[in-house]
Amino acid sequence: MYARSRAPALVLGLALVTSPVVAWTDVFPPEELDGVQIGVSVEITGLSRFPDHVFYAYPVYCTRGLAAIYEQQLLWDEEEDGGRPNYIELRDGPVASWLGARSECPESVLYALARDIAATVDLAAKSPAALDEFFTTDPRLFHASFHFVDRPLYATKGSPLNHVHEVVRVLKIDSYEISAVVDAATYSFADGTEQTLKLGHTKRPPLPFRALKPEKVAKYAMVNAKWEVRQPVGPAAAPRLPDGGSAEAAAEGAESGTAEGSGSGAAEVAVSGGAEVAVSGGAEVGVSGAAEVGVSGAAEVAVIEAPVVAVIEAPVVAVGGTAGAVPGEPVRAPPVAVVAPEAPRPVVEAEEEELVAEPAPELDPLSSRLWPLGALLVGVVIVIGGVGLARRRRGG
């Protein structure tokens, strides 16, 4: 009888002891349970090379107001609102705040906007919902697929690493997005040692458990030097708007001047590959390669097809005399300078196989991985001890 009455109490006691242990691993990610929080800072460079654009990071604080927009429930506020706008305008130098990929709120994204457009947008007056709508939906914004480093950042337990400083470098703004890389990462250790890895890559190597060997640091520097020589001296001209940014882009294209190859006056000539062209009155002429075409009087002119063909209509040009007269010399267009095609853009990424850092040693399983089992055993001992004491009291 007593055994039956004690069985539910034993099960209930085990559940009360083990449920916090199980829930603990669900609430906190493994890096928090198995690691120690370290300092982290970010610096951004390359923005001054684009004076016609303004750069932003959004969002930069995880608050209940931001979480409510995305219908998320926070365990706690990582940052208080405090009346601050949830974005920052970036310049070359330290980044005051950002949200990593593991934040409870959406992570920070790097944006750029043409400076003349930015002057017409009052971001400070926007509500949190309107600010979020602007940064996530406005087609005039360029944005980067780059991910900021996690914050807070955790190192492996027992590691002397205590701070990481990253330098983010903006390379270019093309018709679709901003290209940015982690230019360098500096690791600071408890004994005062500092090591800087030159990366030039969008991917980060694993955090080192201890200071890397000098030959490993030299290998990173060598790979980065090969990547660096492929980078242009100056950035390409950044477009004002992304492709399909807004209807304003099409309007500006129409107002920027007449269509390419248009004009008034004498004959209009389009050249492909430096060809010399002879034009006849009222005829439509096709140009190919470096051919020379001679035309006379009222003769019909055949169109020559080529990989690049420009069809033009020219006014009447008298070449020969009346019928039966000797045809005149072919009329040749003046030579036209041919612009060499733009060289292909250099590859930004470095070799991925080189970004494999020295792995950290395995964690001690008895001190980190199996601690829930230890808590369970302690709970069982407590329950059994409580049952034994209860039996002794009843026997007494």
Side-chain angles (χ1 to χ4, degrees):
M1 178 176 178
Y2 288 119
R4 291 181 180 178
S5 62
R6 288 195 298 269
L10 181 61
V11 173
L12 179 60
L14 288 174
L16 292 175
V17 172
T18 58
S19 57
V21 175
V22 176
W24 190 264
T25 58
D26 292 335
V27 171
F28 297 96
E31 60 271 12
E32 293 191 31
L33 297 177
D34 301 332
V36 57
Q37 184 173 339
I38 61 175
V40 59
S41 56
V42 171
E43 177 184 352
I44 192 165
T45 63
L47 305 186
S48 59
R49 302 198 304 166
F50 305 94
D52 295 332
H53 290 75
V54 181
F55 291 84
Y56 304 96
Y58 172 85
V60 292
Y61 304 112
C62 186
T63 63
R64 295 195 182 277
L66 179 64
I69 296 175
Y70 290 87
E71 299 180 351
Q72 295 175 336
Q73 295 293 328
L74 300 183
L75 294 177
W76 54 78
D77 278 341
E78 293 186 6
E79 301 279 355
E80 293 295 335
D81 287 319
R84 297 173 299 184
N86 206 351
Y87 72 94
I88 52 176
E89 182 177 332
L90 296 172
R91 295 176 177 82
D92 286 346
V95 179
S97 181
W98 72 93
L99 298 175
R102 294 179 180 174
S103 170
E104 291 187 81
C105 292
E107 65 177 304
S108 298
V109 177
L110 177 63
Y111 294 95
L113 184 63
R115 189 170 295 276
D116 60 325
I117 299 176
T120 66
V121 180
D122 188 1
L123 295 180
K126 291 183 179 294
S127 66
L131 190 67
D132 184 79
E133 181 180 4
F134 170 76
F135 278 111
T136 56
T137 64
D138 197 299
R140 299 171 296 178
L141 284 164
F142 298 89
H143 36 88
S145 56
F146 173 85
H147 299 280
F148 285 94
V149 65
D150 287 330
R151 188 176 72 103
L153 188 63
Y154 294 89
T156 306
K157 283 184 178 179
S159 171
L161 179 66
N162 58 17
H163 191 274
V164 176
H165 177 76
E166 283 193 356
V167 178
V168 178
R169 176 178 168 188
V170 174
L171 300 176
K172 63 182 178 181
I173 303 176
D174 58 27
S175 56
Y176 298 100
E177 66 173 2
I178 307 166
S179 295
V181 296
V182 181
D183 191 50
T186 300
Y187 304 114
S188 302
F189 299 89
D191 61 355
T193 303
E194 287 190 353
Q195 286 185 324
T196 298
L197 296 186
K198 296 294 292 181
L199 300 174
H201 210 285
T202 57
K203 296 182 180 179
R204 297 172 175 86
L207 294 179
F209 182 80
R210 59 178 64 88
L212 299 177
K213 297 178 180 178
E215 53 267 26
K216 189 73 174 181
V217 179
K219 187 176 182 180
Y220 275 98
M222 180 182 64
V223 174
N224 179 260
K226 294 178 180 178
W227 172 82
E228 193 68 52
V229 297
R230 299 197 300 266
Q231 304 309 307
V233 176
R240 181 172 178 269
L241 292 167
D243 278 359
S246 69
E248 183 182 359
E252 286 193 356
E255 296 173 0
S256 61
T258 55
E260 183 179 357
S262 65
S264 62
E268 300 174 2
V269 181
V271 179
S272 156
E276 295 183 349
V277 186
V279 184
S280 73
E284 292 185 349
V285 183
V287 183
S288 76
E292 297 181 6
V293 183
V295 185
S296 65
E300 295 182 358
V301 180
V303 177
I304 304 173
E305 296 184 359
V308 179
V309 179
V311 179
I312 57 176
E313 183 176 352
V316 177
V317 179
V319 179
T322 58
V326 179
E329 291 294 327
V331 180
R332 295 186 178 183
V336 180
V338 179
V339 180
E342 183 181 356
R345 293 182 178 180
V347 179
V348 172
E349 299 292 347
E351 293 110 7
E352 295 187 6
E353 61 270 17
E354 300 293 349
L355 290 181
V356 180
E358 184 176 297
E362 293 293 331
L363 298 175
D364 182 6
L366 295 179
S367 62
S368 59
R369 298 294 183 186
L370 299 183
W371 69 267
L373 180 59
L376 175 62
L377 294 177
V378 171
V380 171
V381 171
I382 293 175
V383 172
I384 293 176
V387 172
L389 290 176
R391 291 182 61 183
R392 291 183 62 181
R393 289 177 181 177
R394 290 177 183 176

